[in-house]
Amino acid sequence: MVVVFDKEEFLADYPQFSTLYADGKITDAQLDYFWQIATTIVDNTEDGATIPYDPDNNVFIRKVILYLLMCHLLTMALWPVGQSGPLTNASEGSVSAGFQIPQVLSRAWFNQTPCGRTLALLLARYTVGGKYYPMHYYHPWG
């Protein structure tokens, strides 16, 4: 079973975005776009889903993971233009700021936001060697 994106549910789960949505700073098109990115990163198909989702039996793991991933992506997308990572230091005299930029797509990429950190913890059980393989019964030797 695939997870269907529910905009109202997502905005209720992540109220930090609901005000931005109400003010028009986040649009339906943007939410749909980030949903497409999230479902590209985490498999959301009938055939290849390794992360369980069975609402009839109260199993919502994939939905939680996809919503956390959307939260992570939206948080980073809403950073000011030119900001490439979370703020690590700031000064006031002669104004300066420092940002952390992860060099590889690893746990450091997830650690940039609170949603990303939670997401990394949930994804850990579905990863092999630190990489998510979106297929059933992955075995590195075939």
Side-chain angles (χ1 to χ4, degrees), residues 12-141:
D13 289 348
Y14 299 95
Q16 67 267 37
F17 301 121
S18 61
T19 302
L20 295 171
Y21 180 79
D23 292 343
K25 294 179 181 171
I26 297 175
T27 65
D28 287 332
Q30 288 172 309
L31 290 174
D32 291 339
Y33 174 73
F34 284 108
W35 178 253
Q36 293 303 316
I37 293 173
T39 57
T40 300
I41 294 171
V42 174
D43 186 20
N44 188 33
T45 62
E46 291 278 350
D47 298 334
T50 57
I51 300 174
Y53 178 68
D54 185 3
D56 296 335
N57 292 306
N58 289 324
V59 178
F60 299 99
I61 300 168
R62 190 175 345 130
K63 185 177 208 173
V64 170
I65 285 173
L66 286 167
Y67 280 18
L68 280 167
L69 182 53
M70 278 197 56
C71 172
H72 179 65
L73 294 167
L74 272 169
T75 299
M76 291 189 304
L78 292 169
W79 285 340
V81 174
Q83 181 174 337
S84 55
L87 184 67
T88 57
N89 61 56
S91 302
E92 194 170 317
S94 249
V95 185
S96 70
F99 300 95
Q100 173 190 9
I101 305 169
Q103 298 303 311
V104 295
L105 182 59
S106 66
R107 192 167 182 122
W109 184 76
F110 292 110
N111 285 336
Q112 295 182 88
T113 69
C115 291
R117 286 189 291 278
T118 304
L119 174 62
L121 290 172
L122 292 176
L123 280 176
R125 69 187 302 187
Y126 303 104
T127 58
V128 176
K131 182 167 173 43
Y132 168 68
Y133 291 93
M135 65 185 77
H136 285 292
Y137 309 112
Y138 171 77
H139 192 280
W141 298 285

